[in-house]
Amino acid sequence: MTLTFALHPPLDLGLREEFIRLWTDASNAGGAVGFVPPVTVDQARAAAEKHFAGLGPGCPDRLLIAREVGSGRLAGMLIFEDMRFPLMDHWRLLKLVMVHPDLQGRGYGAELMGEAERIARGWGLSALRLTLRGGLGLEKFYGRCGYTEVGRVPAALRVAPGDDRDEVTMWLDLR
Ligand SMILES: CC(C)(COP(=O)(O)OP(=O)(O)OC[C@H]1O[C@@H](n2cnc3c(N)ncnc32)[C@H](O)[C@@H]1OP(=O)(O)O)[C@@H](O)C(=O)NCCC(=O)NCCS
């Protein structure tokens, strides 16, 4: 199986539901995308609405989705978030980078990040930035995608009482 990508697809009701389901499933499988499991669909829906607001007509954020060729299922996604600050208009923040837990470990995450880089270069951006939750090995994943660790705030994320994780910033220079 391989992936087909769509940038800034129409955010119709069907895609909104797929987005919410993917986020819920990835979170409940232990993914570090804003939640600590267990997460309900309703909790993901409430959080998703904030992202949908930034993806609407005239808004500057951009959704990238990956579908599996053949099944057509939503395999992964990410958002390019615009900082809405002129001094930071030359880069974008990647948010909600995820692959469905059934499909992880097949190279789809790396493909998704490669497509994001290709798009960013096409836009003429200078860099991509993202933050991650420490303790899961994600630095290695993004490192393989070419990103460099440029910042680490110790114990900034409290995922449970007594379980604080570093918030790590990664940067991909495109110049
Ligand atoms: C992180 C994520 C996007 C990676 O996608 P994936 O499809 O599983 O990754 P790939 O199969 O493309 O893996 C690419 C490489 O990264 C490595 N890798 C993937 N996930 C990793 C992890 N969590 N820790 C360490 N290495 C990892 C793989 O071993 C592989 O290395 P290899 O080329 O030597 O085999 C996916 O696991 C995911 O959606 N996780 C849940 C959500 C999440 O936590 N997102 C991160 C938000 S910052």
Side-chain angles (χ1 to χ4, degrees):
M1 289 283 193
T2 182
L3 297 178
T4 179
F5 293 97
L7 177 65
H8 204 41
L11 201 52
D12 55 23
L13 277 182
L15 180 55
R16 286 173 192 241
E17 279 312 304
E18 288 182 291
F19 180 118
I20 291 162
R21 292 279 165 180
L22 174 55
W23 195 359
T24 307
D25 291 347
S27 300
N28 284 327
V33 269
F35 290 113
V36 175
V39 179
T40 66
V41 169
D42 284 344
Q43 285 172 314
R45 178 170 289 113
E49 293 298 343
K50 293 173 195 150
H51 291 288
F52 295 158
L55 293 165
C59 295
D61 298 341
R62 292 291 176 265
L63 175 64
L64 174 65
I65 60 168
R67 291 193 182 278
E68 217 178 21
V69 172
S71 71
R73 74 184 286 194
L74 185 62
M77 64 180 184
L78 58 78
I79 292 174
F80 296 91
E81 196 174 279
D82 183 304
M83 302 313 290
R84 296 160 173 80
F85 176 40
L87 274 58
M88 295 182 174
D89 197 33
H90 58 296
W91 55 269
R92 293 292 179 275
L93 182 66
L94 296 186
K95 302 281 286 191
L96 302 188
V97 177
M98 67 185 90
V99 169
H100 192 279
D102 294 349
L103 303 173
Q104 290 171 11
R106 301 178 182 194
Y108 288 176
E111 266 191 69
L112 179 65
M113 296 303 293
E115 182 68 7
E117 178 179 344
R118 196 189 64 75
I119 290 166
R121 287 186 188 280
W123 286 337
L125 292 178
S126 297
L128 288 171
R129 175 177 175 170
L130 58 87
T131 61
L132 64 85
R133 185 185 303 175
L136 297 167
L138 288 163
E139 299 90 328
K140 186 176 157 216
F141 168 69
Y142 291 114
R144 294 206 168 209
C145 298
Y147 288 68
T148 307
E149 181 178 326
V150 292
R152 179 176 286 262
V153 185
L157 301 168
R158 180 154 299 167
V159 297
D163 185 1
D164 291 351
R165 306 291 181 87
D166 296 351
E167 186 195 47
V168 181
T169 300
M170 308 284 294
W171 183 261
L172 179 68
D173 199 324
L174 299 172
R175 290 169 300 170

